[in-house]
């Protein structure tokens, strides 16, 4: 999965599955909590959809607030998790 695909995946989940009312603020620099108004329950639901619907494994040990700060951070993390055989830098902005 590319960075762009990861961003599109996040948008799709937030739109269709979470029905997020703040999608007008969605962009790669949007902060999940402050700009998109996602609380911890919504973020857990997002993680669940990533794991169940997209097969992206997110272990508890790998959960880091830094990965869930902005859309771009999460997209990079998703890209790295889904492409474990890529060389460093292929998932960056």
């Amino acid at each position: 999965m590319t960075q762009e695909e990861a961003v599109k995946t996040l948008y799709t989940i937030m739109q269709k599955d979470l029905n997020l009312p703040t999608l007008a603020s969605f962009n790669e620099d949007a902060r999940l909590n402050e700009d998109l108004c996602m609380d911890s329950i919504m973020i857990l639901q997002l993680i669940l959809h990533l794991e169940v619907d997209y097969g992206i494994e997110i272990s508890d040990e790998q959960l880091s607030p830094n990965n869930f700060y902005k859309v771009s951070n999460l997209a990079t993390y998703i890209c790295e998790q889904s492409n474990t055989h890529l060389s460093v830098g292929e998932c960056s902005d």
Side-chain angles (χ1 to χ4, degrees):
M1 180 178 290
T2 66
Q3 179 83 8
E4 184 178 332
E5 291 170 334
V7 170
K8 287 180 183 178
T9 297
L10 289 170
Y11 184 86
T12 299
I13 292 171
M14 289 178 189
Q15 179 187 41
K16 293 183 178 179
D17 299 313
L18 301 180
N19 198 21
L20 195 65
T22 55
L23 274 179
S25 299
F26 184 92
N27 64 67
E28 287 196 47
D29 291 323
R31 297 166 297 177
L32 298 181
N33 187 265
E34 292 88 349
D35 300 324
L36 297 175
C37 300
M38 293 183 71
D39 61 19
S40 57
I41 300 299
M42 290 174 156
I43 291 175
L44 288 173
Q45 290 174 326
L46 177 66
I47 292 169
L48 181 64
H49 284 288
L50 288 169
E51 291 181 329
V52 173
D53 299 338
Y54 294 91
I56 299 168
E57 293 184 30
I58 302 174
S59 69
D60 292 343
E61 295 81 30
Q62 294 174 326
L63 291 178
S64 163
N66 205 29
N67 291 333
F68 293 87
Y69 181 62
K70 292 194 304 187
V71 170
S72 60
N73 297 64
L74 185 53
T76 298
Y77 175 75
I78 291 168
C79 183
E80 291 169 352
Q81 290 304 111
S82 64
N83 299 312
T84 55
H85 299 295
L86 289 179
S87 61
V88 174
E90 289 193 40
C91 293
S92 61
D93 298 321

